[in-house]
Amino acid sequence: MEGEGRASRARSSGLPAGGAGGDCPGGAAPLPGSSGSSALLPAEVLDLDEDEDDLEVFSKDASLMDMNSFSPMMPTSPLSMINQVKFEDEPDLKDLFITVDEPESHVTTIETFITYRIITKTSRGEFDSSEFEVRRRYQDFLWLKEKLEEAHPTLIIPELSSHKKQGPGLLSRMGQTVRSVALSMRGVKSRPEEFMEMNNFIEIFSHKINLIDKISQRIYKEERDYFDEMKEYGPIHILWSASEEDLVDPLKGVASCLDKCCKATEKRMSGLSEALLPVVHEYVLYSEMLMGVMKRRDQIQAELDSKVEALTSKKADTDLLTEEIGKLEDKVECANNALKADWERWRQNMQNDIKSAFIDMAEENICYYEQCLATWESFLTSQTDLHLEEASEDKF
């Protein structure tokens, strides 16, 4: 499946069709994973504490819409599940489309939470209907992510990087943590070279994409500050012209130019928020998720290594160990093959997405500067012609 993709590609799968806000999903209905649309949630929203509930997820995102009405809304992550998302299973088929939208608040005597409407449209024969509509709460998406990672530990599954209350119990989590720490302490003795290269790539990519994300956010903030300041100059020049009879036309001309530049700047900010910021932040999330994928692959490898070591030292029943080793070898091979196949797909999509985002942004910048330059050149030309005409009249 195409898991990445600027606002048009993401994974889809099935989520049980329990109630629209149920804590224990059950039944069957399509539900997307998410990658592609909507806007960038800040890290403090994505990295939720266990005490935060679903309402806070939405309320923090909604607060982004309270920004200055003259400026475009700061984007939230393509993984935020708010807004419309189109999902395509195969790039050439385009026969599975899923929309995640209409967040809705639910208040009960016990809790307050948000659900999202999910509409699936498809022409595939394996579905009972061509269209489905269900509502699911935020934690259901996280439940789906956990189940997908359990079933496919080395597949690159796009989703939210969050921690919620629902999940394994305390003892179960402690057991998993102890096991993971023990395996990591033991280390991987025979990691293939190609996975060493993958790991090095992920570390470098993570550093660079996080840096790009911070710089992009700072550029957007500075652009907003510039826009907020510039939009005040037009009215100032209009007021100024009321007290300067000899400068009425030039001052109003300057005000007009400023107004046009403000509109161009606003359009440029919108382009930045739609073409670059969501894509960059999406891959910030991917960098974190890729580290988890590599860690799970290494844990499977480390488990095999420990069994081989035990067999070599004859610390346990050799027949049982031989059987376990055979199963683990198959598991490692499947995990490695799945990761290698998904890795190539992910890298290609990543390169296309980021390249396209920067090209789009460059084109937006060129258009912006050309428009502003033409505006001021037109004004200066008109003023020059007016002065020449006045000088010619004075001469005669």
Side-chain angles (χ1 to χ4, degrees), residues 285-320:
L285 298 180
Y286 266 115
S287 68
E288 298 170 1
M289 178 267 302
L290 285 169
M291 292 178 182
V293 170
M294 290 300 298
K295 182 178 179 180
R296 291 193 292 272
R297 195 221 74 86
D298 287 348
Q299 287 174 354
I300 298 172
Q301 178 75 56
E303 188 175 1
L304 173 61
D305 291 345
S306 68
K307 297 294 183 181
V308 172
E309 182 181 353
L311 179 62
T312 303
S313 58
K314 297 181 180 180
K315 294 180 180 178
D317 182 15
T318 57
D319 292 337
L320 179 61

Side-chain angles (χ1 to χ4, degrees), residues 15 91 212 363:
L15 179 68
I212 292 173
E363 291 176 349

Side-chain angles (χ1 to χ4, degrees), residues 24-40:
C24 294
L31 176 74
S34 93
S35 169
S37 106
S38 152
L40 165 132

Side-chain angles (χ1 to χ4, degrees), residues 38-86:
S38 152
L40 165 132
L41 291 175
E44 61 266 27
V45 179
L46 292 168
D47 296 330
L48 300 173
D49 294 330
E50 289 193 349
D51 292 333
E52 293 183 342
D53 57 22
D54 294 315
L55 177 61
E56 294 189 47
V57 175
F58 175 65
S59 63
K60 289 183 179 180
D61 181 74
S63 67
L64 296 173
M65 303 178 188
D66 296 331
M67 302 173 73
N68 194 301
S69 59
F70 290 96
S71 64
M73 182 186 73
M74 184 67 175
T76 56
S77 168
L79 307 183
S80 66
M81 300 181 299
I82 301 175
N83 294 334
Q84 189 171 27
V85 189
K86 181 172 71 174

Side-chain angles (χ1 to χ4, degrees), residues 177-189 295 299 302:
T177 300
V178 170
R179 183 168 177 269
S180 298
V181 170
L183 290 174
S184 62
M185 291 291 290
R186 196 174 292 130
V188 179
K189 296 182 178 180
K295 182 178 179 180
Q299 287 174 354

Side-chain angles (χ1 to χ4, degrees), residues 246-264:
D246 296 337
L247 298 176
V248 171
D249 290 339
L251 289 173
K252 287 185 175 180
V254 171
S256 177
C257 289
L258 289 169
D259 181 63
K260 292 178 181 178
C261 288
C262 274
K263 291 178 180 178

Side-chain angles (χ1 to χ4, degrees), residues 36 50 99 109 143 182 273 277 314 318 321 336 347 364 371:
E50 289 193 349
T99 302
T109 56
W143 173 89
S273 69
L277 293 181
K314 297 181 180 180
T318 57
L321 277 176
N336 288 347
R347 282 195 63 172
E364 287 281 349
Q371 185 175 350

